[in-house]
Amino acid sequence: MKRVVYSGIEGRSLGYWGLMGALGFFILLAAGSFLYMEHSGHHVTGMNNQVVWGMPHVFAIFLIVAASGALNVASISSVFNQKIYKPLARMSAMLALTLLAGGLVVLLLDLGRADRMITAVTNYNFKSIFAWNIILYSGFFVIVLAYLWSMFDPKLHKHTRKAGTAAFIWRLVLTTGTGSIFGFLSARQGYDAAIMAPMFIIMSFAFGKAIFMILLIGTYRYTDRSISADLIERLNNLFGVFVAAVLYFTVVFHLTNLYAAEHGDFERFILMDGGVYTFLFWVVQVLLGGVVPLVLIYHPAFRYNIRSLIAASSLVIIGGIAHIYGIVVGGQAFPLVLFPGKEVSSSFNEGVVNSYSPSLPEILLGLGGVAVAVALFLFAIKMLRLVPENLDAEHTENVTEVPA
Amino acid sequence: MSQDHNKSRRHFLGQAAATTAVIAPGITLMTIAQANQDQPHGASSSKRWGMLVDTNKCTDGCTDCVSACQQENGWGDGSSDESLSNPQQKAQWIRTVTIRDKQTGHTNQLPMMCQHCESPACVDVCPTGASMKRVDGIVLVDKHICIGCRYCMMACPYKARSFVHESLHDQKSNSPRGKGTVEACTMCVHRVDHGDQPACVEKCSSGAMMFGDLNDPNSDISKKLAEVDSTQIRADLGLNPSIRYSGI
Amino acid sequence: MLSQMLKQISRQRVTVVALVLGSLMGYASIAQSGDRDGVRSSISPNAGDSCVRETSWMRRNHMELLQHDRDRTLRQGIRSVDGSIKGCVECHVQQDDHGNTVAINAENQFCSSCHAFTSVSIDCFECHATTPDSVKRAAK
């Protein structure tokens, strides 16, 4: 029975400042890209009037989805009372905040009129799912901050479970909202599916967990702190369930679409002759982002090995970005069906697959969002007492003195 | 005090008009005719403006409506702007679409633009309320509060909206448009408010387009709609567009 | 309701800031500019004999009028309004020595001269035409 002691990381090593410097460099590149796109207009991007959301949205949505998933470890400890995860709850909640911040930065800086983004708050359309999301994001910040506070302040420990439950429910609603941004678009063949919302929730579990594990293991390795094999084993198994669930939802989504003849053309596009989208789907999303990680997680040759866990997490992140790229860009690349059963042609790309190739500034802006999220996290674990000093067996079994 | 000034200006304008009447009676007559149809109380909810396109009359290869719109609203060939944008990025308020039946090989041409839906998806999804529908059914973008998020373009089933990808300098005074905001066919709202027809309808040389009040059973368009078989594009979505097509 | 409230707050704040700035700058410009003031308020030959409101009122409040009437025109279709930016341009636009019309937001022209002086940037002309239709424009 040992007390869990939290401390900030030292953050004075060459490695820490080198990493922060590299992240800062990416943030500067992203800032430059934003100014360039804002000044010139979006003609310098690969986006156009058919593919209106491009690379920045892929990164933004990935980060926002991962943000709610990163909270998962905290939720499991507070809501489902899994004591072994309790020492990790603070890091988990903080990562959720920084990932959301990174995602929102990208989303807002890609607006056509980023200079008047404040209008999104002063003028509000209650019917818009997008506008609901503005409330969901702001609320997430408030609730998770309150949750973090309740974990920090001993006087508020008795409220931690309530705050954790509120945060858990809120994050489910938030990801439902993010998924519904696409699920409610009845006009497009690739969207318009209620399954989008639960699929986004499952995706968030997997992506958030992947990022959390890389940062957790990285932090412990570079600060010479220890993690118990038991904890790694549990994180590994839980991660496996999430990755398998994403594959399951992917299968159900496409099977449902295949069954309905009206979506047949869209499915043929994604699954067979969509070129880059087909490649991204089968090779990156399904194989690299799903099957290979499952082997790494469950095959006895790799199981419970920290390196294979890191490899699996990295692959899930890459596969996840491909997954979101397929949803966002693939869904727009497939032409709108205005006249079912007829062939169409016009001067405005009617009936042909819309082209999109991401430009460098778009990619840099997206990567900048990732850099913001990671840099904020690294800064937070230095400044605040978020990281348990020890996660070895005797500290994680029979833990006391940690908030319920 | 300000009202006095207002009056004096109106008075002045009245004088000016009277003077013009002597010099150029034609112009003044037109001004008065327009002024009489002007709606001082603005758009009326008793009206619902709409169009009927007879695709059998629409001539293959004809682009009268497109050029009329470009000249009227200052996009495409009607403006010196958008030289940096690629063809897929350039504005397209109205386009002609050729449709061919896969089984029979029968082809039709028709103009495609904002369908001015009764339940517009673009208005529902807009986070700021910049996408809006006037009480008379005309769907517009309020560029003063448009933040350029492009969600309306994702939601529109008709690909009717364009995003301005670069700075503009050569706008028409009746059709403000600018970088970073979304735009679409306005049904020439500035003309409709003065009692005129949209430019595309006026310039359609084959007489394929008809404009009018769908709510008024005695309007030409309502009579015609009662008589001929017409359809809405993607009627299955239940958006109830104001633009109807016959012959497809 | 929240949005209404926020709108109210932001409008009020904008109004207050605009009024404070406007009055400060207004006095400053009147005090400093002297004869240059004539350039700023000048109107083109196609204008009438007075503005839609008194000049001094317009100097301070034209933005209120424009904002009020832009919503009425765009959203309600009321087109006979005083605060029409098209009207501003028609009256206040100037011609250069060659008889070409100069964009109203060009340097030292009606809108920009004051706005540059008071350091208030406007984005009206991101979208709105800077010259009346069918005139010969001056080369940029």
Short mmCIF file of all heavy atoms in Angstrom, two decimals, chain B residues 193-236:
data_model
loop_
_atom_site.label_atom_id
_atom_site.label_comp_id
_atom_site.label_asym_id
_atom_site.label_seq_id
_atom_site.Cartn_x
_atom_site.Cartn_y
_atom_site.Cartn_z
N ASP B 193 -36.47 42.32 -56.40
CA ASP B 193 -37.00 43.31 -55.46
C ASP B 193 -37.49 44.56 -56.18
O ASP B 193 -38.27 45.34 -55.62
CB ASP B 193 -35.93 43.70 -54.42
CG ASP B 193 -35.82 42.64 -53.32
OD1 ASP B 193 -36.73 41.80 -53.22
OD2 ASP B 193 -34.82 42.65 -52.58
N HIS B 194 -37.02 44.79 -57.39
CA HIS B 194 -37.50 45.94 -58.16
C HIS B 194 -38.56 45.51 -59.17
O HIS B 194 -38.90 46.27 -60.07
CB HIS B 194 -36.34 46.62 -58.89
CG HIS B 194 -35.42 47.34 -57.96
ND1 HIS B 194 -35.86 48.32 -57.11
CD2 HIS B 194 -34.09 47.21 -57.73
CE1 HIS B 194 -34.83 48.77 -56.39
NE2 HIS B 194 -33.75 48.10 -56.75
N GLY B 195 -39.04 44.28 -59.04
CA GLY B 195 -40.10 43.83 -59.92
C GLY B 195 -39.61 43.28 -61.25
O GLY B 195 -40.42 43.07 -62.16
N ASP B 196 -38.32 43.06 -61.38
CA ASP B 196 -37.80 42.51 -62.63
C ASP B 196 -37.61 41.01 -62.52
O ASP B 196 -37.71 40.43 -61.43
CB ASP B 196 -36.44 43.15 -62.97
CG ASP B 196 -36.60 44.61 -63.30
OD1 ASP B 196 -37.69 45.00 -63.77
OD2 ASP B 196 -35.64 45.38 -63.05
N GLN B 197 -37.25 40.39 -63.64
CA GLN B 197 -36.98 38.97 -63.67
C GLN B 197 -35.48 38.73 -63.49
O GLN B 197 -34.68 39.60 -63.82
CB GLN B 197 -37.39 38.40 -65.02
CG GLN B 197 -38.86 38.56 -65.31
CD GLN B 197 -39.32 37.54 -66.32
OE1 GLN B 197 -38.61 37.24 -67.27
NE2 GLN B 197 -40.49 36.96 -66.09
N PRO B 198 -35.11 37.56 -63.04
CA PRO B 198 -33.69 37.23 -62.99
C PRO B 198 -33.07 37.33 -64.39
O PRO B 198 -33.76 37.09 -65.39
CB PRO B 198 -33.66 35.79 -62.49
CG PRO B 198 -34.94 35.63 -61.75
CD PRO B 198 -35.94 36.49 -62.45
N ALA B 199 -31.77 37.66 -64.42
CA ALA B 199 -31.10 37.88 -65.70
C ALA B 199 -31.15 36.65 -66.59
O ALA B 199 -31.35 36.76 -67.80
CB ALA B 199 -29.64 38.29 -65.44
N CYS B 200 -30.98 35.45 -66.01
CA CYS B 200 -30.96 34.23 -66.83
C CYS B 200 -32.29 34.03 -67.55
O CYS B 200 -32.32 33.65 -68.72
CB CYS B 200 -30.62 33.02 -65.97
SG CYS B 200 -31.68 32.81 -64.53
N VAL B 201 -33.38 34.30 -66.84
CA VAL B 201 -34.70 34.11 -67.44
C VAL B 201 -34.90 35.13 -68.56
O VAL B 201 -35.37 34.80 -69.65
CB VAL B 201 -35.80 34.28 -66.36
CG1 VAL B 201 -37.18 34.15 -66.97
CG2 VAL B 201 -35.60 33.26 -65.25
N GLU B 202 -34.50 36.36 -68.29
CA GLU B 202 -34.68 37.42 -69.27
C GLU B 202 -33.89 37.15 -70.55
O GLU B 202 -34.37 37.39 -71.66
CB GLU B 202 -34.23 38.74 -68.66
CG GLU B 202 -34.66 39.95 -69.47
CD GLU B 202 -34.17 41.23 -68.80
OE1 GLU B 202 -34.89 41.71 -67.92
OE2 GLU B 202 -33.08 41.72 -69.15
N LYS B 203 -32.67 36.61 -70.40
CA LYS B 203 -31.80 36.45 -71.56
C LYS B 203 -31.93 35.08 -72.23
O LYS B 203 -31.24 34.81 -73.21
CB LYS B 203 -30.33 36.67 -71.15
CG LYS B 203 -30.03 38.10 -70.71
CD LYS B 203 -29.85 39.00 -71.93
CE LYS B 203 -29.95 40.49 -71.57
NZ LYS B 203 -28.95 40.94 -70.61
N CYS B 204 -32.75 34.20 -71.69
CA CYS B 204 -32.87 32.85 -72.28
C CYS B 204 -33.54 32.97 -73.63
O CYS B 204 -34.73 33.31 -73.73
CB CYS B 204 -33.69 31.95 -71.35
SG CYS B 204 -34.01 30.33 -72.06
N SER B 205 -32.77 32.69 -74.72
CA SER B 205 -33.31 32.98 -76.06
C SER B 205 -34.32 31.93 -76.51
O SER B 205 -35.13 32.18 -77.39
CB SER B 205 -32.15 33.06 -77.06
OG SER B 205 -31.39 31.89 -76.98
N SER B 206 -34.30 30.75 -75.88
CA SER B 206 -35.24 29.72 -76.33
C SER B 206 -36.54 29.74 -75.52
O SER B 206 -37.44 28.94 -75.78
CB SER B 206 -34.57 28.35 -76.20
OG SER B 206 -34.14 28.16 -74.87
N GLY B 207 -36.61 30.63 -74.57
CA GLY B 207 -37.83 30.72 -73.76
C GLY B 207 -38.04 29.50 -72.87
O GLY B 207 -39.17 29.16 -72.53
N ALA B 208 -36.94 28.85 -72.50
CA ALA B 208 -37.07 27.64 -71.69
C ALA B 208 -37.28 27.94 -70.22
O ALA B 208 -37.68 27.06 -69.46
CB ALA B 208 -35.83 26.77 -71.87
N MET B 209 -36.98 29.18 -69.80
CA MET B 209 -37.06 29.48 -68.38
C MET B 209 -38.21 30.43 -68.08
O MET B 209 -38.42 31.42 -68.78
CB MET B 209 -35.73 30.09 -67.88
CG MET B 209 -34.54 29.17 -68.07
SD MET B 209 -32.98 29.95 -67.63
CE MET B 209 -32.96 29.68 -65.86
N MET B 210 -38.92 30.12 -67.01
CA MET B 210 -40.04 30.96 -66.60
C MET B 210 -39.87 31.26 -65.12
O MET B 210 -39.50 30.39 -64.34
CB MET B 210 -41.33 30.17 -66.84
CG MET B 210 -42.59 30.95 -66.60
SD MET B 210 -44.00 29.87 -66.80
CE MET B 210 -44.63 30.46 -68.35
N PHE B 211 -40.15 32.54 -64.76
CA PHE B 211 -39.97 32.96 -63.37
C PHE B 211 -41.29 33.49 -62.85
O PHE B 211 -42.05 34.10 -63.59
CB PHE B 211 -38.90 34.05 -63.30
CG PHE B 211 -38.82 34.76 -61.97
CD1 PHE B 211 -38.11 34.18 -60.93
CD2 PHE B 211 -39.45 35.99 -61.77
CE1 PHE B 211 -38.04 34.83 -59.69
CE2 PHE B 211 -39.38 36.63 -60.54
CZ PHE B 211 -38.67 36.05 -59.50
N GLY B 212 -41.58 33.26 -61.56
CA GLY B 212 -42.79 33.85 -61.01
C GLY B 212 -43.05 33.41 -59.59
O GLY B 212 -42.23 32.76 -58.95
N ASP B 213 -44.27 33.78 -59.13
CA ASP B 213 -44.67 33.52 -57.75
C ASP B 213 -45.41 32.19 -57.69
O ASP B 213 -46.52 32.06 -58.21
CB ASP B 213 -45.56 34.68 -57.27
CG ASP B 213 -46.02 34.48 -55.84
OD1 ASP B 213 -45.54 33.52 -55.18
OD2 ASP B 213 -46.85 35.28 -55.37
N LEU B 214 -44.82 31.21 -57.03
CA LEU B 214 -45.43 29.88 -56.95
C LEU B 214 -46.67 29.88 -56.05
O LEU B 214 -47.52 29.00 -56.14
CB LEU B 214 -44.42 28.85 -56.42
CG LEU B 214 -43.12 28.67 -57.21
CD1 LEU B 214 -42.20 27.70 -56.49
CD2 LEU B 214 -43.39 28.19 -58.62
N ASN B 215 -46.75 30.88 -55.16
CA ASN B 215 -47.89 30.92 -54.24
C ASN B 215 -49.13 31.54 -54.87
O ASN B 215 -50.23 31.39 -54.35
CB ASN B 215 -47.51 31.75 -53.00
CG ASN B 215 -46.75 30.92 -51.99
OD1 ASN B 215 -46.61 29.71 -52.16
ND2 ASN B 215 -46.26 31.57 -50.95
N ASP B 216 -48.94 32.26 -55.95
CA ASP B 216 -50.07 32.94 -56.58
C ASP B 216 -50.66 32.03 -57.66
O ASP B 216 -50.05 31.78 -58.69
CB ASP B 216 -49.57 34.26 -57.20
CG ASP B 216 -50.66 34.97 -57.97
OD1 ASP B 216 -51.82 34.49 -57.94
OD2 ASP B 216 -50.35 35.99 -58.62
N PRO B 217 -51.87 31.52 -57.43
CA PRO B 217 -52.44 30.57 -58.40
C PRO B 217 -52.68 31.20 -59.77
O PRO B 217 -52.82 30.48 -60.76
CB PRO B 217 -53.76 30.13 -57.74
CG PRO B 217 -54.05 31.13 -56.69
CD PRO B 217 -52.76 31.77 -56.28
N ASN B 218 -52.72 32.52 -59.82
CA ASN B 218 -52.98 33.17 -61.10
C ASN B 218 -51.73 33.59 -61.85
O ASN B 218 -51.81 34.16 -62.93
CB ASN B 218 -53.86 34.41 -60.88
CG ASN B 218 -55.22 34.01 -60.35
OD1 ASN B 218 -55.83 33.05 -60.85
ND2 ASN B 218 -55.69 34.70 -59.33
N SER B 219 -50.56 33.33 -61.24
CA SER B 219 -49.33 33.70 -61.95
C SER B 219 -49.12 32.74 -63.13
O SER B 219 -49.61 31.61 -63.13
CB SER B 219 -48.14 33.65 -61.00
OG SER B 219 -47.91 32.32 -60.60
N ASP B 220 -48.39 33.24 -64.14
CA ASP B 220 -48.15 32.43 -65.33
C ASP B 220 -47.50 31.11 -64.95
O ASP B 220 -47.83 30.05 -65.49
CB ASP B 220 -47.23 33.19 -66.31
CG ASP B 220 -47.97 34.35 -66.96
OD1 ASP B 220 -49.21 34.39 -66.81
OD2 ASP B 220 -47.30 35.19 -67.58
N ILE B 221 -46.55 31.20 -64.03
CA ILE B 221 -45.78 29.99 -63.69
C ILE B 221 -46.68 28.97 -63.00
O ILE B 221 -46.60 27.76 -63.27
CB ILE B 221 -44.53 30.34 -62.84
CG1 ILE B 221 -43.61 29.13 -62.74
CG2 ILE B 221 -44.89 30.86 -61.47
CD1 ILE B 221 -42.26 29.42 -62.12
N SER B 222 -47.57 29.43 -62.11
CA SER B 222 -48.46 28.50 -61.43
C SER B 222 -49.41 27.83 -62.42
O SER B 222 -49.68 26.63 -62.33
CB SER B 222 -49.27 29.22 -60.36
OG SER B 222 -48.43 29.71 -59.36
N LYS B 223 -49.91 28.61 -63.37
CA LYS B 223 -50.82 28.05 -64.37
C LYS B 223 -50.11 26.98 -65.20
O LYS B 223 -50.64 25.90 -65.46
CB LYS B 223 -51.35 29.15 -65.30
CG LYS B 223 -52.38 30.05 -64.63
CD LYS B 223 -52.86 31.09 -65.61
CE LYS B 223 -53.61 32.22 -64.92
NZ LYS B 223 -53.62 33.44 -65.75
N LYS B 224 -48.89 27.32 -65.59
CA LYS B 224 -48.11 26.38 -66.40
C LYS B 224 -47.82 25.11 -65.61
O LYS B 224 -47.90 23.99 -66.14
CB LYS B 224 -46.79 27.07 -66.81
CG LYS B 224 -45.94 26.29 -67.78
CD LYS B 224 -46.42 26.46 -69.21
CE LYS B 224 -45.51 25.71 -70.19
NZ LYS B 224 -46.11 25.70 -71.54
N LEU B 225 -47.47 25.29 -64.32
CA LEU B 225 -47.14 24.13 -63.49
C LEU B 225 -48.35 23.22 -63.29
O LEU B 225 -48.21 22.00 -63.19
CB LEU B 225 -46.60 24.59 -62.12
CG LEU B 225 -45.15 25.05 -62.11
CD1 LEU B 225 -44.82 25.73 -60.80
CD2 LEU B 225 -44.22 23.85 -62.32
N ALA B 226 -49.55 23.83 -63.26
CA ALA B 226 -50.76 23.04 -63.10
C ALA B 226 -51.02 22.21 -64.36
O ALA B 226 -51.66 21.16 -64.32
CB ALA B 226 -51.95 23.96 -62.81
N GLU B 227 -50.47 22.69 -65.46
CA GLU B 227 -50.78 22.11 -66.76
C GLU B 227 -49.78 21.01 -67.15
O GLU B 227 -50.17 19.94 -67.60
CB GLU B 227 -50.72 23.26 -67.76
CG GLU B 227 -51.16 23.01 -69.17
CD GLU B 227 -50.87 24.26 -69.99
OE1 GLU B 227 -51.33 25.35 -69.59
OE2 GLU B 227 -50.14 24.14 -70.99
N VAL B 228 -48.48 21.29 -66.95
CA VAL B 228 -47.47 20.35 -67.43
C VAL B 228 -46.93 19.48 -66.30
O VAL B 228 -47.05 19.82 -65.12
CB VAL B 228 -46.28 21.08 -68.12
CG1 VAL B 228 -46.76 21.89 -69.30
CG2 VAL B 228 -45.53 21.93 -67.12
N ASP B 229 -46.31 18.38 -66.71
CA ASP B 229 -45.68 17.48 -65.74
C ASP B 229 -44.30 18.03 -65.41
O ASP B 229 -43.48 18.21 -66.31
CB ASP B 229 -45.58 16.10 -66.39
CG ASP B 229 -45.04 15.07 -65.43
OD1 ASP B 229 -45.22 15.27 -64.22
OD2 ASP B 229 -44.43 14.09 -65.88
N SER B 230 -44.04 18.33 -64.15
CA SER B 230 -42.72 18.87 -63.81
C SER B 230 -42.16 18.10 -62.63
O SER B 230 -42.88 17.40 -61.92
CB SER B 230 -42.81 20.35 -63.48
OG SER B 230 -43.51 20.53 -62.27
N THR B 231 -40.86 18.25 -62.43
CA THR B 231 -40.24 17.51 -61.34
C THR B 231 -39.18 18.37 -60.67
O THR B 231 -38.73 19.37 -61.23
CB THR B 231 -39.61 16.20 -61.88
OG1 THR B 231 -39.00 15.51 -60.81
CG2 THR B 231 -38.55 16.50 -62.92
N GLN B 232 -38.81 17.99 -59.46
CA GLN B 232 -37.71 18.66 -58.75
C GLN B 232 -36.52 17.72 -58.77
O GLN B 232 -36.70 16.50 -58.72
CB GLN B 232 -38.10 18.94 -57.30
CG GLN B 232 -39.27 19.88 -57.16
CD GLN B 232 -39.87 19.82 -55.76
OE1 GLN B 232 -39.98 18.76 -55.16
NE2 GLN B 232 -40.29 20.98 -55.25
N ILE B 233 -35.32 18.28 -58.82
CA ILE B 233 -34.13 17.44 -58.81
C ILE B 233 -33.87 16.96 -57.39
O ILE B 233 -33.93 17.75 -56.45
CB ILE B 233 -32.93 18.20 -59.41
CG1 ILE B 233 -33.24 18.49 -60.88
CG2 ILE B 233 -31.66 17.38 -59.30
CD1 ILE B 233 -32.26 19.37 -61.55
N ARG B 234 -33.56 15.68 -57.25
CA ARG B 234 -33.40 15.02 -55.95
C ARG B 234 -34.61 15.30 -55.05
O ARG B 234 -34.46 15.60 -53.86
CB ARG B 234 -32.11 15.46 -55.25
CG ARG B 234 -30.81 15.02 -55.86
CD ARG B 234 -30.60 13.52 -55.96
NE ARG B 234 -30.84 12.69 -54.79
CZ ARG B 234 -29.90 12.26 -53.97
NH1 ARG B 234 -28.65 12.58 -54.17
NH2 ARG B 234 -30.21 11.47 -52.95
N ALA B 235 -35.80 15.12 -55.64
CA ALA B 235 -37.02 15.32 -54.86
C ALA B 235 -37.05 14.37 -53.67
O ALA B 235 -37.69 14.64 -52.65
CB ALA B 235 -38.25 15.12 -55.74
N ASP B 236 -36.30 13.24 -53.80
CA ASP B 236 -36.29 12.24 -52.73
C ASP B 236 -35.74 12.79 -51.42
O ASP B 236 -36.04 12.26 -50.34
CB ASP B 236 -35.46 11.02 -53.16
CG ASP B 236 -34.02 11.40 -53.54
OD1 ASP B 236 -33.85 12.41 -54.24
OD2 ASP B 236 -33.09 10.69 -53.12
#
